[in-house]
Amino acid sequence: MGERRLKAEVVREAEFWSRPIIWRVPTEKESPIQYNKTHCFKYSGQKASPEEAEEERVLLDSIAWPRPPAQLANTTLEQTSDPTKSTFTILPAGGDGERHVGDQLEAMIFMHDFTGHHQPHGGDFLVARLHSPTLLAGVAGQVLDHGNGSYSAVFPLLWEGSAQVEVTLVHPYEAIPVLQWVTDEHPDREFFHSLFRSGTVSETTVCNRCLPPNQQPLCNYTDVLTGEPWFCFKPKVLGCDTRDHHVWGGELKDLITKEEEMLFRGGVNLKVSINALGTNSIDVLPERKGQPDLNGSSNLKLGPPKVMPSGYYFQGEWRTLGGVTVRQFKDSSSITQCLQGKVVHMFGDSTVRQWYGYLKDTAGIKEFDLHSPSKTGPLLAVDTANNIMLKFRFHGQPIRHAQVTSASELRYISSELDHLRGGSGTVVIIGVWAHFTLTPMELYIRRLRQIRRALVLLLDRAPETVVVIRTGNLQHLDVQRSLVNSDWYTLQMNRLLRTMFKGMDILLVDAWDMVLASHLPHDIHPPQPIITNMVDHVLSYTCPVKAAQGEA
């Protein structure tokens, strides 16, 4: 009986994997988000200028992922990419066959499905890194999609000694339309609550960026200055002006089919390493004569296509490629010396709050009790002897946290920046990503645009102000986390952020590269060694070594 049941399970499993996937491709006419977006923008109080509309179009085009080809309409699960059957191979070195520091390494990746057949299309989401466990060295690679099931992973060779190539399938191509669909069709798949209170009477209603106007009357809390949309269903008794606090309500689940869930299986097709065909290791020789110095140099000579990551690890320490040379601030005295006489304004989410906590604890700066929530803030730490002030404030709605936030503290970054005087004693740190992965990209662009406008004005009136922006980073994923915080969402937002702030006099801390290049596990809140390197980067930019001191 047991053997018969086992055979039946095997048959059912085989039938399940051979079912065609129903592609989640929303249409302009049917997609509810079109309705919701129209509602958000109609009542936002601001209409995009022709220049802003054109910028938005170009930005959205720049992050467009390949759409499913027509021949994949009847794709089955077993025809999706299988990382265990896919391989990569390191291409031979050119010339004399030797690899030297300053050269470029290329690996070819060949994707196969669960039946072992070569994939005829591109679109898989892959990441790659080159690393050395013995040297605590690592660098993120650039993955190039050739559109035919093969990819190139390209790396600069930055250290002498051993190096290993690592390639990971984050999502198969077929998972991407699912991620796009849940954002387009269910922008409200997370929801929020607000408590309204007057005297002894209180009511709680649902709130969100976009709410359908025909279900019941709405309270419109769209920000007058920024146009950021926010709505709550109007309480039955109380008025809209009695809103007391904001809190995260949860996430909608069971939005995708069982077949689609199979596209997000840990250990099967979600963040799984791809094996090398042959060796995955190389030996790197010293620089050839005439090679430029790589320590902090922005003139690294690489063969086409040129690959220039933001930096790399060596002996566990982050080194940038271009820009400021990163120094180590290993004790409280070095941090205090750098921040003396400065006010550090930190705006963002819990990944920015990590920096606040690290600086406060490492430098021994005493926290001042504002009687505010420990997670959502606002938070304040003061060193009166050295005239140092650290301030943390959340970036405004959406705030995906179960800790209650007072409605009076829901302020947007751009509004806060508009009230800053700035100057040489002011440091501004911004991180806007982890709570925006469920946000339609049009609304994310709007948020970044408002921050950019405020930063341009701040740097115009006080050019000595230090401004730092943190990108998003990779994290641990399962099925539900993929639908909420997929690395693919973060990748798209990072691309928008880089483009929109390009050319500004700011430091962009590349948290994506710093997590990808590290040997430590991916986490939405990176482990402390990574945080230490991030903060060292910020402090090195805030307090650069003067040329007269002779340090490069």
Side-chain angles (χ1 to χ4, degrees):
M1 185 68 179
E3 183 178 354
R4 187 178 303 169
R5 185 181 296 112
L6 180 62
K7 288 182 179 179
E9 288 293 333
V10 171
V11 170
R12 279 196 292 270
E13 179 78 5
E15 290 176 347
F16 185 81
W17 278 79
S18 62
R19 295 177 190 171
I21 301 172
I22 300 175
W23 286 93
R24 299 288 198 173
V25 183
T27 64
E28 294 291 323
K29 183 172 63 176
E30 299 293 336
S31 175
I33 185 58
Q34 300 298 326
Y35 174 82
N36 284 333
K37 284 178 185 175
T38 300
H39 175 62
C40 285
F41 295 148
K42 179 179 179 181
Y43 293 100
S44 68
Q46 287 192 356
K47 183 178 180 180
S49 68
E51 294 79 11
E52 291 172 340
E54 175 63 14
E55 180 189 42
E56 180 180 296
R57 184 192 65 79
V58 171
L59 287 168
L60 293 176
D61 286 347
S62 71
I63 63 171
W65 208 260
R67 294 183 68 82
Q71 64 267 30
L72 293 185
N74 295 315
T75 296
T76 63
L77 286 166
E78 64 183 5
Q79 291 175 303
T80 62
S81 293
D82 179 359
T84 65
K85 289 186 170 63
S86 303
T87 60
F88 72 86
T89 183
I90 296 176
L91 298 185
D96 56 11
E98 296 179 341
R99 304 184 194 277
H100 291 259
V101 172
D103 292 345
Q104 181 171 270
L105 174 71
E106 182 175 0
M108 286 297 297
I109 308 165
F110 303 98
M111 300 303 296
H112 293 77
D113 63 23
F114 284 86
T115 67
H117 292 96
H118 179 73
Q119 289 288 28
H121 59 80
D124 290 324
F125 177 22
L126 301 162
V127 294
R129 72 176 179 129
L130 185 70
H131 67 110
S132 172
T134 57
L135 297 173
L136 291 179
V139 64
Q142 178 183 355
V143 177
L144 307 172
D145 187 347
H146 300 298
N148 58 3
S150 63
Y151 303 74
S152 294
V154 189
F155 313 88
L157 300 182
L158 299 167
W159 63 83
E160 179 184 346
S162 63
Q164 301 173 14
V165 174
E166 181 181 281
V167 179
T168 301
L169 173 68
V170 181
H171 292 305
Y173 178 46
E174 293 78 8
I176 303 302
V178 178
L179 296 175
Q180 292 174 318
W181 179 84
V182 292
T183 296
D184 288 347
E185 297 288 331
H186 296 282
D188 57 349
R189 65 188 186 278
E190 62 172 349
F191 51 94
F192 306 86
H193 292 142
S194 274
L195 174 72
F196 295 78
R197 181 167 22 216
S198 179
T200 59
V201 180
S202 63
E203 297 179 74
T204 300
T205 72
V206 172
C207 305
N208 219 318
R209 308 170 191 83
C210 312
L211 291 174
N214 299 325
Q215 287 187 10
Q216 63 188 77
L218 296 177
C219 293
N220 185 352
Y221 298 109
T222 298
D223 188 73
V224 176
L225 297 176
T226 65
E228 293 291 346
W230 197 261
F231 302 89
C232 293
F233 286 127
K234 188 179 184 301
K236 293 180 181 179
V237 176
L238 298 175
C240 294
D241 59 351
T242 62
R243 187 186 184 203
D244 184 79
H245 70 237
H246 162 98
V247 68
W248 181 68
E251 302 163 357
L252 299 178
K253 299 184 179 180
D254 302 321
L255 296 176
I256 62 175
T257 66
K258 295 298 183 184
E259 288 86 355
E260 289 168 335
E261 285 186 5
M262 298 290 281
L263 296 170
F264 303 93
R265 293 181 66 186
V268 177
N269 53 16
L270 177 63
K271 299 198 103 167
V272 179
S273 295
I274 293 173
N275 292 323
L277 185 62
T279 183
N280 70 334
S281 301
I282 61 168
D283 289 316
V284 183
L285 300 174
E287 300 173 36
R288 290 184 173 88
K289 291 183 179 180
Q291 281 284 93
D293 179 17
L294 299 181
N295 186 19
S297 171
S298 61
N299 299 312
L300 182 61
K301 303 298 182 182
L302 300 171
K306 289 185 177 180
V307 177
M308 183 57 66
S310 59
Y312 67 103
Y313 289 104
F314 188 76
Q315 299 297 346
E317 296 176 353
W318 184 251
R319 300 183 177 187
T320 59
L321 293 170
V324 65
T325 298
V326 177
R327 295 175 289 128
Q328 281 65 54
F329 293 76
K330 297 183 181 295
D331 51 41
S332 61
S333 61
S334 60
I335 296 176
T336 299
Q337 184 179 2
C338 174
L339 295 183
Q340 191 170 27
K342 291 181 171 59
V343 179
V344 183
H345 301 267
M346 304 185 197
F347 304 104
D349 51 39
S350 57
T351 63
V352 172
R353 194 183 67 235
Q354 268 191 294
W355 293 9
Y356 167 88
Y358 177 86
L359 283 170
K360 174 179 67 71
D361 295 341
T362 307
I365 302 175
K366 186 177 180 180
E367 190 160 53
F368 187 88
D369 188 2
L370 296 176
H371 303 288
S372 55
S374 60
K375 302 297 185 183
T376 58
L379 305 175
L380 174 67
V382 179
D383 178 349
T384 55
N386 293 287
N387 195 23
I388 299 172
M389 182 179 291
L390 307 179
K391 304 174 74 174
F392 168 78
R393 177 175 289 279
F394 237 92
H395 49 49
Q397 301 161 129
I399 300 176
R400 282 171 17 200
H401 205 286
Q403 200 171 63
V404 170
T405 303
S406 171
S408 64
E409 297 292 354
L410 296 173
R411 306 176 192 173
Y412 294 106
I413 294 176
S414 56
S415 297
E416 292 294 295
L417 294 175
D418 285 340
H419 292 92
L420 287 186
R421 180 179 179 180
S424 58
T426 302
V427 179
V428 173
I429 296 174
I430 296 172
V432 182
W433 70 282
H435 292 238
F436 289 81
T437 49
L438 297 179
T439 301
M441 289 299 162
E442 292 88 342
L443 296 181
Y444 185 62
I445 291 171
R446 174 198 291 276
R447 181 66 62 95
L448 294 185
R449 182 182 291 133
Q450 292 297 334
I451 294 172
R452 183 181 62 186
R453 174 202 60 78
L455 285 177
V456 168
L457 293 175
L458 173 61
L459 292 172
D460 183 56
R461 65 178 177 268
E464 305 88 357
T465 306
V466 172
V467 178
V468 178
I469 297 181
R470 182 200 194 281
T471 73
N473 56 262
L474 301 103
Q475 58 189 286
H476 170 74
L477 297 177
D478 54 26
V479 175
Q480 186 59 27
R481 286 298 92 195
S482 293
L483 298 179
V484 175
N485 277 97
S486 168
D487 291 340
W488 183 78
Y489 292 137
T490 305
L491 174 73
Q492 300 293 75
M493 292 192 300
N494 282 349
R495 288 175 171 175
L496 294 174
L497 186 146
R498 292 175 195 278
T499 301
M500 293 186 71
F501 291 93
K502 185 177 181 180
M504 293 188 64
D505 187 15
I506 64 172
L507 170 66
L508 189 72
V509 174
D510 196 335
W512 179 277
D513 272 12
M514 294 184 77
V515 169
L516 178 56
S518 173
H519 66 284
L520 296 170
H522 296 175
D523 194 320
I524 191 170
H525 300 113
Q528 182 157 323
I530 298 178
I531 296 300
T532 298
N533 277 290
M534 289 178 175
V535 174
D536 283 346
H537 194 184
V538 173
L539 295 175
S540 298
Y541 181 75
T542 303
C543 306
V545 175
K546 294 181 173 58
Q549 292 181 259
E551 186 174 336

